[in-house]
Amino acid sequence: MSLPPIMPAQLDNEIRRIFHDEEFEEIEHKLNYVFQNKAYLVSAYTHPSKSNNCLLISYERLEFLGDALLDFLVIRHTFLNYDRNLTPGRVTDIRQDLSNNNRLAYILVSSNLHTKIRLNSNELSNRIKSYLNNKNIFPKTQSTNDRLNENISQWTDTTAPKILADVFEALIAAIFFDSGNSLEIVWKIIEPFLGTLFDRSIIDPNLNSIRSFINKGGKILEEFVDETGAVCLVQMPDGSLYEGHGKNKKLAKYDACQQAINNKN
Amino acid sequence: MSLPPIMPAQLDNEIRRIFHDEEFEEIEHKLNYVFQNKAYLVSAYTHPSKSNNCLLISYERLEFLGDALLDFLVIRHTFLNYDRNLTPGRVTDIRQDLSNNNRLAYILVSSNLHTKIRLNSNELSNRIKSYLNNKNIFPKTQSTNDRLNENISQWTDTTAPKILADVFEALIAAIFFDSGNSLEIVWKIIEPFLGTLFDRSIIDPNLNSIRSFINKGGKILEEFVDETGAVCLVQMPDGSLYEGHGKNKKLAKYDACQQAINNKN
């Protein structure tokens, strides 16, 4: 299958006006991947608000494909490597955890891959700035490596601007097309960014707080949505109650069960 | 990447006891693909109720991977072939339409690929029989080709036993592993089974039930996930309620809107 028709080759001059050689090198060094066709890289960094040029498209399509590709590769990786120990249910947990936009946003920023994003929206720029300045999520002293290997479950509920996850997913699809549809190259490049997620998911049964909670005899009492978001009320067999909060009911339930489990361990 | 460790090579004797050579040939002829490792094929046809043998696993894992692979390949195909005419929104429609279990079940049965399924459950066998005997869905006089090219949107709402879609998805993953992780071979084999779906999706704006539903003044009342999967409750302007179900919230919403639209057309 040939390269997709979304990247006209004659764009080269225009692309060189957008990013200097040093900028390409900087991104490619962080990614550990050199693009044959730099248009893919520029496109992955171009928010729709900036793609007024009808030749050079935004990351919209790449993001869409990258999302599905990441999902597929994560499932393949878990099946190939953790095999018999891993039920489809546990793979679902990992998949959900990874497709969490806040996790992907965290990965992009922790790896310093967010600095070249091209957008034309003050509001969105400000939202990105305020996310980057959240010192709870990004302590100044931490290295990229430490960040990627941190257990960031507690931050998956913070609201990172979606554009950050979108760019990460678009980069995945950009590498896929640029490498001539190579699943192996894509996986080799992105796996290091996923950090210790897999190992942690296999080792740490707490990842699936909901299942552990139910196994310990806990009960979901109530789930509802109010002005502040979703709320979930759960009860342990000894009668103790925990209230979880989240953006949606699933996250609220996760939060409540995690509280209950942590207090009982 | 080497073949996954889910298929021990020493299974050959056992596999030959399950399917005769003619049976392998029959399936492979219909699929237009010859398996190097027949264990993949047997596994794709083995329901968990039948996998009492701890060496030969059921299709459970293959189905899981095949589902994500189909999703990814469909998105790639639409982006590569319909490019500029196709918004991500429309691609979402096609994706949802394809991951609809009833459509995949219909494809499996229309192609006569369901006859070798191995299961050990009377209830499930009876449910399959009653689906196959539905003459509205499968008129006796229709050829496989006619069936695959039929606009089956009206049947995507009937409830085909999930096992039929599962086997189709498992076959996709089985071909993927057997072909040495080749996206191109998988796509070449499965594309003919998808029939005229793509062309029809480009032409037929009715495919997007959610958009039509909103345009008609419908409202999404509630979306949540329970043990059975995702559920979505919607309401038409006249007050009538519809409950949709699906593997995720998007599919549940699609299902609910499709019901509402069909009843109002």
Side-chain angles (χ1 to χ4, degrees), chain A residues 1 4-6 54 61 64-65 68-69 72 75-76 79-80 83-84 86 88 91-92 95 176 181 249, chain B residues 1 4 6 54 57 61 64-65 68-69 72 75-76 79-80 83-84 86 88 91-92 95 176 181 183 222:
Chain A
M1 182 164 297
I6 59 172
C54 63
R61 283 156 169 276
F64 208 83
L65 189 87
L69 179 52
F72 169 64
I75 295 174
R76 187 181 72 150
F79 278 173
L80 292 182
D83 190 40
R84 301 251 168 195
L86 216 63
V91 177
T92 301
R95 194 177 178 182
F176 176 71
N181 291 310
K249 286 188 184 172
Chain B
M1 184 164 297
I6 59 172
C54 63
I57 63 164
R61 282 155 170 276
F64 209 83
L65 189 87
L69 179 52
F72 168 64
I75 295 174
R76 187 181 72 150
F79 278 173
L80 292 181
D83 191 39
R84 299 254 169 194
L86 215 64
V91 177
T92 300
R95 192 178 179 183
F176 176 72
N181 292 312
L183 295 177
E222 187 95 53

Side-chain angles (χ1 to χ4, degrees), chain B residues 111-135:
Chain B
S111 316
N112 258 310
L113 280 165
H114 62 290
T115 57
K116 303 292 176 196
I117 293 175
R118 307 171 62 239
L119 78 164
N120 191 8
S121 155
N122 282 333
E123 197 208 321
L124 192 47
S125 297
N126 288 333
R127 284 187 52 222
I128 294 175
K129 264 182 220 147
S130 96
Y131 174 71
L132 299 179
N133 289 331
N134 187 332
K135 291 194 180 53

